[in-house]
Amino acid sequence: MREKIDTILQESKSFEIKSTTDLENFRLKFLVKKGLVNQLFQEFKSLDSEEKKKWGKELNIFKNSIESFFNEAQNELNKNTTDSEGRSENSFLPGYYNELGSRHPISFVMEEMSQIFERLGFSVATGPEVEDDWHNFSALNFPSNHPARDMQDTFFVDEDIALRTHTSSVQVRLMEKGELPIRSIMPGRVYRNEAISARSNCFFHQVEGLYIDKGVSFADLKQTLYNFVQEFFGANTKVRFRASYFPFTEPSAEMDIYLGTETESDYKLTKGTGWLEILGCGMVDPNVLENCKIDTKEYSGFAFGLGVDRIAMLKYGVKDLRTFFNNDKRFLDQFAGL
Ligand code: DAH
């Protein structure tokens, strides 16, 4: 017995444990049911009672010694596989769960809208959010002191610079480049100095559209927008155009889609009419084309500006616009997977 104990102890001490595989091999050799330690315990059973007295204690010391050797080796291994932040790579621990982020619903809706127009041949353009007076107002036929400037409450940075009040400013930048024809959409964020409430915010999002070519007509504008509405809201969506006024388009219109009044008690979306305004549009005013050095004898065009936030509210049944931008994870988590 003595000899066996000593040999196995010797063998265990000289067992090199440098990896989790070594550790497992050690366990398989010494500590499992059919391992060397247990084999001695089996032999112990067949000893007579005198011998048992003699070896019982010895055997337990032997077993503890091998087990503590194993535990120490295991601890040592864990220490070595700890990363710089002290996290262990112990394969017995549950894995680290990396939460996936998700896209913001407003970005998602903006992209969905853009894709519909891209399929119609529109390319995507962007422009600065801090804009000068020329691009946001003057070139778009808002002369200084023109009352139409009051339509949009502006955040001024200084006399000539402001946060853009609409994405129409990007139209001007595109036209000034002078590469015709233009068939572009311009998604982006805009800012207005308005009281913040469930239905309005001091910033929101628009998708602007501009098509300039030879012989573009109001019929082209209507067809483009019908196509958008059918793709986005469904083939049977009713729409109507109402005459309107914007300084940069002539004639100008606004387009409404019919939602019915069932949702009214909830969302006050249509103010009891069933109709929701989703965009402004029109034929680009010749003054604007001339401001951008485009020959009005040859070229004409249409433009439109779609509001994104209200459409996102409608799409997801969101009752308060502000919740989009509170960064409340409980709200945003609902859009995981977009
Ligand atoms: N810029 C307008 C607004 O913010 C929306 C708009 C109306 C854009 C008509 C256009 C347009 O391009 O043709 O209220």
Side-chain angles (χ1 to χ4, degrees):
M1 200 48 119
R2 168 91 275 146
E3 208 177 302
K4 284 187 181 157
I5 291 179
D6 287 346
T7 321
I8 297 174
L9 260 184
Q10 192 55 42
E11 227 179 296
S12 73
K13 296 272 151 68
S14 53
F15 197 107
E16 269 198 289
I17 301 180
K18 289 204 168 125
S19 64
T20 45
T21 322
D22 295 340
L23 190 72
E24 180 61 2
N25 287 337
F26 182 94
R27 195 180 68 88
L28 292 174
K29 182 162 183 185
F30 296 98
L31 294 173
V32 291
K33 211 167 166 195
K34 289 188 174 152
L36 293 176
V37 172
N38 224 20
Q39 274 173 29
L40 274 197
F41 274 87
Q42 293 304 324
E43 285 182 30
F44 174 78
K45 279 188 196 157
S46 56
L47 298 178
D48 59 33
S49 58
E50 266 308 296
E51 292 274 290
K52 271 190 177 149
K53 256 188 226 159
K54 188 171 164 199
W55 293 109
K57 207 170 155 202
E58 285 265 359
L59 269 182
N60 278 330
I61 294 173
F62 156 77
K63 186 181 172 209
N64 287 342
S65 157
I66 293 193
E67 277 178 353
S68 48
F69 183 78
F70 175 83
N71 289 337
E72 265 168 41
Q74 189 175 38
N75 287 342
E76 200 55 34
L77 265 187
N78 283 347
K79 234 191 262 164
N80 293 340
T81 53
T82 301
D83 69 12
S84 57
E85 283 159 30
R87 288 180 302 207
S88 160
E89 284 172 18
N90 187 339
S91 52
F92 300 106
L93 292 176
Y96 296 108
Y97 174 63
N98 283 332
E99 249 183 279
L100 273 187
S102 61
R103 277 195 290 171
H104 194 281
I106 295 285
S107 312
F108 183 74
V109 170
M110 213 154 34
E111 194 178 308
E112 229 187 345
M113 291 175 165
S114 301
Q115 278 170 356
I116 294 175
F117 290 109
E118 282 175 73
R119 286 199 288 276
L120 290 176
F122 285 75
S123 57
V124 177
T126 53
E129 291 183 10
V130 179
E131 195 47 286
D132 54 39
D133 182 276
W134 170 255
H135 291 96
N136 197 76
F137 290 121
S138 300
L140 287 165
N141 210 25
F142 289 79
S144 50
N145 303 324
H146 191 284
R149 289 193 183 211
D150 294 342
M151 281 163 64
Q152 309 187 342
D153 297 310
T154 311
F155 283 117
F156 284 97
V157 175
D158 65 32
E159 216 176 296
D160 187 51
I161 307 287
L163 299 184
R164 69 179 177 199
T165 58
H166 51 185
T167 42
S168 305
S169 55
V170 191
Q171 283 189 25
V172 178
R173 291 189 172 270
L174 273 183
M175 288 189 273
E176 281 176 340
K177 275 200 197 158
E179 293 162 14
L180 296 170
I182 297 168
R183 200 191 296 164
S184 286
I185 46 161
M186 295 141 261
R189 178 174 284 188
V190 302
Y191 301 83
R192 289 193 201 166
N193 192 359
E194 273 174 27
I196 297 169
S197 71
R199 305 213 357 104
S200 75
N201 206 345
C202 56
F203 64 90
F204 51 97
H205 301 80
Q206 297 183 328
V207 173
E208 189 84 12
L210 179 68
Y211 182 25
I212 309 269
D213 204 346
K214 292 175 185 163
V216 177
S217 70
F218 203 91
D220 299 321
L221 169 62
K222 281 176 102 172
Q223 194 50 50
T224 304
L225 295 177
Y226 283 148
N227 193 299
F228 167 77
V229 168
Q230 287 184 349
E231 288 234 11
F232 194 91
F233 295 100
N236 297 322
T237 314
K238 269 207 291 187
V239 303
R240 73 176 183 192
F241 283 85
R242 279 177 296 105
S244 184
Y245 171 75
F246 300 101
F248 39 91
T249 44
E250 182 59 35
S252 304
E254 282 171 289
M255 195 177 87
D256 304 335
I257 57 168
Y258 190 68
L259 298 178
T261 47
E262 286 108 70
T263 54
E264 281 310 274
S265 57
D266 284 321
Y267 306 140
K268 300 200 181 76
L269 263 183
T270 76
K271 296 185 188 121
T273 64
W275 291 96
L276 176 74
E277 182 230 313
I278 61 162
L279 61 86
C281 63
M283 299 305 292
V284 180
D285 192 302
N287 285 345
V288 175
L289 296 175
E290 274 158 22
N291 284 340
C292 300
K293 314 228 164 13
I294 291 175
D295 184 355
T296 50
K297 283 190 218 83
E298 253 197 283
Y299 286 96
S300 60
F302 67 70
F304 56 88
L306 265 158
V308 176
D309 306 59
R310 265 212 253 166
I311 291 177
M313 280 174 96
L314 176 68
K315 183 173 166 104
Y316 296 116
V318 171
K319 292 175 194 171
D320 188 331
L321 186 59
R322 292 168 291 193
T323 50
F324 279 126
F325 305 107
N326 286 344
N327 278 340
D328 185 333
K329 222 173 143 284
R330 290 166 303 177
F331 174 79
L332 294 174
D333 278 348
Q334 298 176 79
F335 301 96
L338 277 188

